[in-house]
Amino acid sequence: MADEFMKGFTLFTLGGLGWLTFGGWYRTPSYYDVVQLVNPAEGVNTAYGEIGLVVGDASFWLMILGALTFWVFIPLSRQLRDMIGGDADAAN
């Protein structure tokens, strides 16, 4: 179980770091504004800017879905498999 926690935590950390980095570069117009990291991107006219936006969005979803996969979905599927397998053994 600790194995899945560390995998989820690693994906959460790497995704969060990427999201904060690219969000700070492309979505934060000023550090004095109240709303940061979630502003729409402005003035991105280059291919590298577009790649940065895509990588930032992908990092956000890696952070969310990676943690959910290893913290919720895999343990839930193992418990369901044990419950279903345990019922089949009890019936025989």
Side-chain angles (χ1 to χ4, degrees):
M1 193 64 168
D3 195 31
E4 281 85 13
F5 176 77
M6 285 311 296
K7 290 176 186 176
F9 187 69
T10 301
L11 289 176
F12 185 77
T13 303
L14 290 176
L17 180 63
W19 180 61
L20 287 173
T21 301
F22 287 104
W25 286 345
Y26 294 109
R27 297 191 185 273
T28 304
S30 171
Y31 289 107
Y32 300 109
D33 289 341
V34 175
V35 179
Q36 296 181 357
L37 299 173
V38 292
N39 289 334
E42 297 176 4
V44 179
N45 298 331
T46 63
Y48 291 121
E50 293 294 328
I51 291 171
L53 290 175
V54 170
V55 170
D57 290 341
S59 296
F60 173 77
W61 288 109
L62 175 73
M63 176 179 67
I64 299 298
L65 295 177
L68 278 176
T69 299
F70 284 102
W71 292 346
V72 176
F73 298 138
I74 290 176
L76 184 65
S77 69
R78 287 184 180 170
Q79 285 185 350
L80 287 173
R81 187 178 60 210
D82 289 343
M83 285 174 37
I84 292 170
D87 292 340
D89 292 337
N92 291 330

